[in-house]
Amino acid sequence: METSRRPDHEPSAPSPGGGPAQAPLAPPQAGRTALVTGAASGIGRACALALAAAGAHVHVVDKAGEAARSLAAEIGGTAWVVDLADPSVVDTLPADADVVVNNAGLQHVAPVHAFPPERFALIQRVMVETPFRILRRTLPGMYERGWGRVVNISSVHGLRASPYKSAYVTAKHALEGLSKVVALEAAEHGVTSNCVCPGYVRTPLVEDQIADQARNHGISEEEVVGRVMLERSAIKRLIEPADVAEAVLWLCGPRTGHITGTSLSMDGGWTAN
């Protein structure tokens, strides 16, 4: 399919010692525009940094205004300070993104019988309805240009369940389904849609949870990570945000046009059990 932007595949580099000199290849995301939600910290920040380093202009979407503006200034992107708990704000975001990374999320831990319904609904709005609205807004442009990449930051909890996390597990399972539907609909337009499913990632939210659990259980933070959080993981260390971002960047790259509708596990062997 002809596109108005760079093709999906880069030209081959010249063979050593032969042929005329050629200009160096452009960065893989040069000329692309990326929209990353929850981009001011954690996985979202790492994704924004990686995409910008690869040449994309990144729309940094987060409700943390100071952090979003600081990151946008650092990477030459654009900050959009919005609260995605109100899905209608999606209509204020740019619609011309070539790459969409749906990352924004939140957590609440409680048994089902004590889970606050309003909190359950909030988590579905931010983590399911808002990604749907963002894709509804951005897919037509990707279709018109004949190229696009959708990467949804899911979780091992999009593939497995844990007690006391009914809203989060429900939302991540729903995001997995949305991603697969988009993959089927968008394939003929040169657009892929995939999920990345990490286990516990070293983010500020997880670091706070480690400290809280260490105090509550009277054990060391190392024991919390190895015995509590990573009990079902074969690899007993937290995932770094930059590692998740590298997986996202690869899925957006020039050699992944046939990878769509997948869920890439980065869980240290959790789902191998």
Side-chain angles (χ1 to χ4, degrees), residues 166-213:
S166 58
Y168 188 86
V169 170
T170 297
K172 290 302 188 183
H173 274 68
L175 186 63
E176 293 274 342
L178 174 63
S179 183
K180 289 178 173 61
V181 170
V182 171
L184 297 178
E185 293 184 3
E188 65 180 296
H189 303 287
V191 178
T192 66
S193 176
N194 295 286
C195 287
V196 175
C197 304
Y200 283 102
V201 180
R202 192 184 303 279
T203 62
L205 179 63
V206 169
E207 296 279 14
D208 289 344
Q209 290 178 19
I210 293 170
D212 288 343
Q213 291 199 40

Side-chain angles (χ1 to χ4, degrees), residues 151-178:
V151 184
N152 299 297
I153 305 301
S154 180
S155 165
V156 66
H157 284 116
L159 307 173
R160 298 289 188 273
S162 290
Y164 311 118
K165 298 180 180 179
S166 58
Y168 188 86
V169 170
T170 297
K172 290 302 188 183
H173 274 68
L175 186 63
E176 293 274 342
L178 174 63

Side-chain angles (χ1 to χ4, degrees), residues 36-50 52 58-62 64-79:
V36 182
T37 67
S41 66
I43 295 172
R45 175 182 171 83
C47 290
L49 288 168
V58 180
H59 294 292
V60 177
V61 181
D62 205 291
E66 183 177 350
R69 285 187 285 266
S70 175
L71 177 60
E74 177 184 344
I75 63 176
T78 304

